[in-house]
Amino acid sequence: MLLSIENLHACVEENEILRGVSLQIRAGEIHALMGRNGSGKSTLSKVIAGHPAYTVTAGGIHYRGQDLLALSPEDRARSGVFLGFQYPVEIPGVSNLEFLRVSCNARRQRRGQEELDTFAFEDHVRETMAIVQMDPAFLERSVNEGFSGGEKKRNEILQMALLEPLVAILDETDSGLDIDALRIVANGVRRLALPTTATLLITHYQRLLDAITPDFVHVMAEGRILRTGDKDLAMALEQRGYDWIDETNGSDTRQP
Amino acid sequence: MSNATQSRSQLWLETLLQALAQRPGGNAAGQQASARDWRLPTRRSEAWRFTDLHCLTRLDPTRLHTRTASPRWPEAFRQASSGQESPARLCLQLDSSGHWLGPQGEPPPWPRGLMPLPSGNITPGQVARTLMPSGPLPLGAALNGVTPGPSLGLQVSGPDPVHLDLGIRVEQSQAWLAPHVLLVLEPGARLCLSWHVAATARAAVAPMVEARLGPGAQLEEAAMTWGCPEAAFLGGSFVHQSPRSVYRRTSVTWGWGLSRDEPFIRQRQGQAETHLHSLAVARGQSLLDTHSTVYFDGPAGQLQQRHQALADDRGHSVFNGRVVVPRAAQETDASQLSRNLLLSTKARIDTKPQLEIVADNVQCTHGATVSCLQDDELFYLQSRGIGRDQASRLLQRGFCEEILQRLPQAALSWPPLRSLLETPTPDQP
Ligand SMILES: Nc1ncnc2c1ncn2[C@@H]1O[C@H](COP(=O)(O)OP(=O)(O)O)[C@@H](O)[C@H]1O
Ligand SMILES: [Mg+2]
């Protein structure tokens, strides 16, 4: 078991947002997480990554058997948990190249790999950028500053490719992308989907799931996972909408 | 302030004036007279409300000297300066007798476009007094004025930009350095002037710059000043701008126990451009104070001003940005922004615009923000494996970058500045 979330409750400023989320993710699996806006998907992803605004009030998360909640956000990342943000943060004045190098080296250090100096890293990052078809000019800019929505998402995929995570959570990385960009993101995800890694795709759209076939599809509502199925559940959702889930609520199938 | 403290500081001032009067070129009689009606500012006066002078008055006036050390010029500067004929840039450093010499102690090979003014033509205060006809000069300029020493006066001419780097390095305790520089830019002349000031011992550095910009002249000034916590900096600059002249000043100040910088710019007939960008990084117990004045006497002048300060530990940043727009200065376009980063509960930021606007047809904007590091930015960096401390340093440097990027490229290799810019080292796991 790579990531195991058990009866997770989390709140922000007294408001409970996650109300008992349970989810098991094994190596080699791709999971999709769907649900209406406001159902708690991003909150779940940020709690996994360790955002300080959220307090876990009950339940827990284990990553490779270890208590993930006991780790700082940076330690979670160094040990292989990656969150692709729904809204990547702009950081004026901090060069994208330096940011990528420092984070890549932090992860390499943890894996016992040798750190890359500025020259070696530039070669490495340029090769990786070619995979996500990103213009090297973005290295000279400040982190995400003035990037279009699509450029920010590509920058997230670039970071994922550089950090080589074991668990990648992509929060609506497909939103706001045109078809070409979507294909690039899908390629990026597929390349990193290995027998030893797992992916959790948070998405609203069937079109990403056409490119990447999930092993499991979960539907979230009001801070819980209401229903779990296979890719057909996503298709059914696409056709019938979330109201259908509400109506049939209670007959949810459990994940094996 | 108690009377006892005040009489102590008065005694300090009198002793200082006597000591300075005995230096070669000093004027004992004149200075004794001036001591009688001159008081050090106290915190009771509005302009010194936040700023305490004890870092300065801890110097022992009876032991003051003028010994300097050789600035650590970056290699690129030395090479550019050693060109045989007309060097691309001229580096001068202040020696222990108050003269400006080349990096090897040689008299400067003046590049084309730069000509020393005969010393008889230089009277300290000559520009300052035309800009501030009445009232006392700012403290730094006043102390500079009573410190005897040779002036550096330069006439700048021709359309090709001339690069001049002035370096001051102090390593011995009780140094008192108050160099005076006068710059006369002929119409259309261009000068790129960089200041590199470093003080590693208990000392005071009080340079005074006076500049007269002819019509269409351009002065680009970069000032990088760093001092140890025992050192004090008192800067006074006075810039007279003619129509169509452009003055750009970028200053970066960090370290120092006390720094008080008072640039005074006056657009005599308006119609000129002034750009002021400053960064103050106050850590430890450092008190960094900028009091700027921009005065428009004629129409259609422009000002762009941005002051950024970062205060951490018990650091304290003070900014007062005075902009004077009398009735004659219609169509003035001035903007002033003060951006501050407050990083500790014991640190302090005091920032105040002081707009004195009488003309009605003008565009004058100002704004001030004080914020701390943003959780979302920190979290984003941490979520990529960057430790919290390192993330915080990256964000702090990102904040400074806005001003630093305006420094000339070559200045970034100045060793003390590198320490401010240093790439944060990864946290040990
Ligand atoms: N930092 C926060 N402060 C206040 N409310 C929050 C915060 N984060 C999330 N919420 C609230 O929690 C609910 C779930 O939000 P979110 O997890 O972003 O949903 P989703 O990603 O599924 O659209 C929403 O009602 C949202 O307003
Ligand atoms: Mg969301």
Side-chain angles (χ1 to χ4, degrees), chain A residues 12-13 15 17-18 35-44 46 51 53-54 86 171-172 202 204 220:
Chain A
V12 59
E13 293 157 3
N15 296 325
I17 297 171
L18 299 184
R36 283 203 181 89
N37 279 335
S39 57
K41 305 181 299 294
S42 293
T43 301
L44 176 62
K46 287 192 213 167
H51 196 291
Y54 304 92
Q86 181 175 6
D171 190 358
E172 300 204 20
I202 299 175
H204 276 295
M220 201 163 171

Side-chain angles (χ1 to χ4, degrees), chain A residues 49-51 73-74 77-78 82-83 85 89-91 93-94 98-99 102-103 106 144 156 159, chain B residues 376-377 379-388 390 394-395 397-398 401 423-424 426-427 429:
Chain A
H51 196 291
E74 55 268 35
R78 290 169 189 167
F82 177 84
L83 169 60
F85 282 57
V89 179
E90 300 196 7
I91 308 187
V94 175
E98 186 177 7
F99 160 68
V102 174
S103 58
N144 293 325
E156 296 291 290
Q159 290 164 47
Chain B
D376 277 330
E377 296 182 4
F379 176 64
Y380 189 69
L381 296 176
Q382 286 178 281
S383 78
R384 299 304 183 240
I386 302 175
R388 196 182 162 88
Q390 197 183 2
L394 273 173
L395 292 179
R397 213 188 62 196
E401 202 58 37
T423 308
D427 300 331

Side-chain angles (χ1 to χ4, degrees), chain B residues 19 25 58 67 71 79 102 106 126 142 218 226 277 296 371 409 415:
Chain B
R58 269 196 313 238
R67 287 187 288 281
Q79 281 164 9
E106 73 282 14
Q126 67 193 85
Q218 287 189 30
W226 169 82
H277 290 90
F296 297 89
S371 57
Q409 196 57 37

Side-chain angles (χ1 to χ4, degrees), chain B residues 28-113:
Chain B
Q31 283 176 22
Q32 263 158 25
S34 71
R36 253 175 268 125
D37 43 37
W38 186 15
R39 299 250 176 292
L40 281 182
T42 70
R43 295 181 62 178
R44 264 179 263 155
S45 95
E46 178 66 22
W48 290 85
R49 199 147 64 96
F50 302 112
T51 304
D52 189 295
L53 284 171
H54 71 265
C55 178
L56 183 73
T57 54
R58 269 196 313 238
L59 289 172
D60 178 354
T62 62
R63 291 175 52 212
L64 298 181
H65 62 85
T66 55
R67 287 187 288 281
T68 58
S70 204
R72 312 266 160 89
W73 296 112
E75 201 46 43
F77 283 35
R78 291 176 174 277
Q79 281 164 9
S81 284
S82 62
Q84 310 284 257
E85 304 106 51
S86 196
R89 70 184 321 136
L90 181 63
C91 292
L92 298 180
Q93 57 196 53
L94 191 68
D95 80 352
S96 297
S97 60
H99 291 283
W100 293 91
L101 299 174
Q104 266 75 45
E106 73 282 14
W110 297 107
R112 212 169 60 196

